[in-house]
């Protein structure tokens, strides 16, 4: 039976409650992390869902380390996003995937923000991920580093370079933690 | 209060987001599956089958040496980070492990220095401290050594920048004079560590800052007694990570001294060809100037100087990476060309550069990707260069190449199926150590230690100890 197969892989029922309690607050941020990289609702949802399955099956290993749950889970999500991107080579490019979105209307956004959105759209997924983790989720570099596969120092240096590319006249204090 | 930049970036991400309010419900329904999720289970079963097939194929590829599969066994993730310290022979060397650092708000994780004297067969813990390791230097016989890093035990600032000031993160210096059996924690200047360099266990320099991360001027501190006494000898004018138009970062090995007077500060990014390529001092760090290297006249693009290596006889090399310009921001980092500047007077002057890989050679098409190539210039003749940064590509990427020369770059040999090397330490023309990277199941890489005794043609995995 299908549920039986899953249960044999999964931690006990009590852990399921713990898992749901621990992971539920992370689902929306994780979706935003995935969307920041993939820019496609369906793919971002799939990535989070697959990541949850993997997290569920490995949740037992994380016992007593719940403080590490967020970077661990975001790392799984990011890995899923990479898998999705790798799978894209055979897909038909949809018009909505074109990388330079137009502003919704002139009144919607200040010109500077439109420029920033266009510049963000030009960045690669890894660069967008780093920006989103730092600016969008306020994560410290000690937590960002493991998610992006870099040391905290290297993540900080890379973020600095990306931000300078986005805003050439940037004052450094704006990127400091 | 969030900064303007933070607000703008958030707003830009928010503007393109398509919300998915029901996602949490779907996810937890799927984790507790019902018969309607048959499709999901089928996908899982298919994934398990694919993993099994790939694992079998991988085993046979590894067993029979099929190109495309790493020639060394994978590094095992034991939860501790690994930094390769230094090696003085094929038998003797040091590594650093650091405990879990991926917990929010956790700072000052425990680091431990381990020593081997039998080529990595056994390891002895020599030093344990709380902080972030930067680098180490040992005397050739391994009796005297100094290990330095940053004391990051002060809590991080986790809120928006203006709400909390950057914490003081001073330098840590530990010194041994008996082969690592006992260590002294040396006094250090009460300022935040930026970068440091020791040219021997006795003489070293630190760049420190008073204002925390995002520095104003950097203070140059000098010691000639292994850190027992420090003297502030000068300043590097530093605004927004820039000095003389060059951007610098805090990476280790960004400061290099050839002798007591001559040193360089190495940039962390590319600059256009009209900007000086690195900072140089001729008076032990008292004064600094931008050093403009004579660039090939036909050069177009951006350049970045890498750390120079000065050999025992005063000769040396300064590799300079040249990157083609006009790349789109979303493209991967383009291949770079490397020029080597020679010196015969320990870096006081630099001669006419030549291409790392000679034009017309079989290796001329090899490229070093990105800034800070992974290479080891052991002496004027024996050089090893890997052709990719070693930080990406995943298990299915083409194998990196390790290029070896024994005549100062005139002719090269290519090892086309190299491990994914991220740092190299050769102690002789045949024996070397390297840090390699194994892609992790959850993204990122697991660092490991490998060793060669045939000049890099073959490598074997060296098991490293975990912090006990």
């Amino acid at each position: 039976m299908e549920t039986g197969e899953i249960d044999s892989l999964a931690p006990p029922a009590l852990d399921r409650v713990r898992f749901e309690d621990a992971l539920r607050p992370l689902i929306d941020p994780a979706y935003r992390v995935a969307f920041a990289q993939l820019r496609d609702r369906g793919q971002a949802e799939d990535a989070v869902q697959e990541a949850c399955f993997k997290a569920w099956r490995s949740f037992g290993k994380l016992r007593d380390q719940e403080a590490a749950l967020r970077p661990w889970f975001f790392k799984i999500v990011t890995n899923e996003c990479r898998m999705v991107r790798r799978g894209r080579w055979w897909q038909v490019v949809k018009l909505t995937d074109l990388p330079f979105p137009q502003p919704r209307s002139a009144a919607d956004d200040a010109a500077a923000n439109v420029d920033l959105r266009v510049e963000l759209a030009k960045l690669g997924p890894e660069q967008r991920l780093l920006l989103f983790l730092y600016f969008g989720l306020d994560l410290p570099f000690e937590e960002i580093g493991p998610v992006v596969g870099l040391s905290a120092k290297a993540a900080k240096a890379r973020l600095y370079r990306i931000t300078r590319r986005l805003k050439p006249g940037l004052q450094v204090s704006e990127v400091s933690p | 209060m969030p900064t303007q930049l933070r607000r703008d970036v958030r707003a830009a991400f928010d503007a393109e987001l398509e919300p998915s309010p029901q996602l949490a419900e779907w996810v937890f329904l799927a984790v507790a599956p019902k018969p309607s999720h048959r499709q999901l289970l089928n996908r899982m079963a298919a994934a398990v089958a694919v993993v099994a097939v790939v694992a079998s194929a991988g085993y046979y590829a590894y067993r029979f040496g099929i190109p495309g599969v790493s020639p060394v066994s994978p590094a095992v993730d034991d939860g501790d980070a690994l930094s390769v310290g230094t090696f003085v022979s094929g038998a003797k060397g040091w590594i650093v492990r650091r405990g879990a650092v991926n917990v929010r708000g956790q700072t000052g994780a425990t680091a431990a220095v381990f020593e081997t004297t039998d080529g990595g067969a056994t390891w002895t813990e020599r030093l344990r401290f709380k902080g972030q390791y930067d680098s180490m230097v040992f005397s050739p016989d391994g009796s005297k050594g100094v290990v330095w890093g940053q004391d990051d035990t002060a809590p991080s600032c986790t809120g928006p920048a203006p709400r909390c000031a950057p914490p003081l993160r001073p330098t840590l210096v530990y010194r041994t004079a008996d082969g690592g059996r006992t260590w002294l924690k040396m006094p250090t200047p009460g300022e935040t560590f930026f970068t440091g360099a020791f040219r021997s266990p006795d003489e070293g320099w630190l760049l420190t800052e008073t204002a925390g991360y995002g520095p104003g001027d950097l203070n140059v501190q000098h010691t000639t007694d292994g850190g027992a006494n420090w003297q502030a000898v000068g300043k590097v004018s530093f605004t927004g990570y820039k000095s003389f138009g060059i951007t610098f970062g805090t990476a280790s090995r960004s400061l290099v001294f050839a002798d007591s007077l001559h040193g360089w500060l190495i940039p962390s990014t590319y600059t256009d060809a009209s900007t000086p390529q690195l900072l140089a001092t001729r008076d032990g760090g008292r004064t600094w100037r931008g050093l403009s290297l004579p660039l090939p006249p036909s050069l177009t693009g951006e350049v970045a100087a890498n750390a120079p290596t000065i050999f025992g006889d005063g000769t040396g090399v300064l590799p300079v990476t040249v990157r083609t310009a006009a790349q789109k921001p979303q493209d991967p980092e383009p291949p770079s060309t490397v020029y080597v500047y020679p010196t015969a007077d320990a870096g006081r002057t630099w001669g006419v550069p030549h291409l790392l890989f000679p034009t017309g050679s079989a290796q001329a098409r090899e490229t070093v990707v990105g800034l800070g190539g992974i290479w080891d210039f052991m002496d004027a003749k024996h050089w090893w260069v890997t052709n990719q940064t070693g930080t990406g590509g995943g298990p299915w990427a083409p194998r990196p190449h390790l290029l070896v020369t024994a005549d100062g770059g005139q002719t090269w040999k290519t090892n086309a199926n190299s491990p994914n090397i991220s740092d190299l330490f050769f102690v002789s023309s045949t024996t070397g150590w390297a840090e390699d990277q194994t892609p992790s199941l959850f993204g990122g890489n697991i660092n490991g230690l490998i060793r060669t005794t045939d000049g890099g043609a073959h490598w074997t995995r060296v098991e490293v100890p975990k912090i006990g």
Side-chain angles (χ1 to χ4, degrees), chain B residues 63-90:
Chain B
R63 178 78 176 78
F64 298 109
I66 297 170
V69 174
S70 178
V72 287
S73 55
V76 176
D77 187 2
D78 63 8
D80 288 353
L82 170 71
S83 297
V84 176
T86 190
F87 294 88
V88 292
S89 71

Side-chain angles (χ1 to χ4, degrees), chain B residues 209-220:
Chain B
E209 51 177 313
T210 51
Y213 196 77
D217 290 351
L218 296 174
N219 296 315
V220 183

Side-chain angles (χ1 to χ4, degrees), chain A residues 30 32-40 42-48 50 74-93 97 121-130 133 147-149 158, chain B residues 330-332 391-394 396 442-444:
Chain A
R32 292 159 72 92
V33 165
F35 194 92
Q37 296 172 77
L38 300 170
R39 305 180 65 227
D40 179 290
Q43 290 182 336
E45 287 173 346
D46 279 352
V48 173
E50 290 295 334
F74 285 2
K75 197 195 279 190
I76 301 174
V77 170
T78 299
N79 200 40
E80 284 306 317
C81 292
R82 283 200 193 101
M83 299 295 287
V84 170
R85 295 204 311 273
R86 274 192 200 132
R88 274 178 169 172
W89 63 271
W90 50 266
Q91 292 179 347
V92 176
V93 176
D97 288 336
K122 290 179 187 172
L123 295 179
E126 310 280 359
Q127 295 168 317
R128 289 167 54 85
L129 171 66
L130 192 52
L133 292 174
V147 178
V148 298
R158 185 168 295 181
Chain B
Q330 70 269 33
D331 287 346
T391 56
W396 298 280
F442 298 130

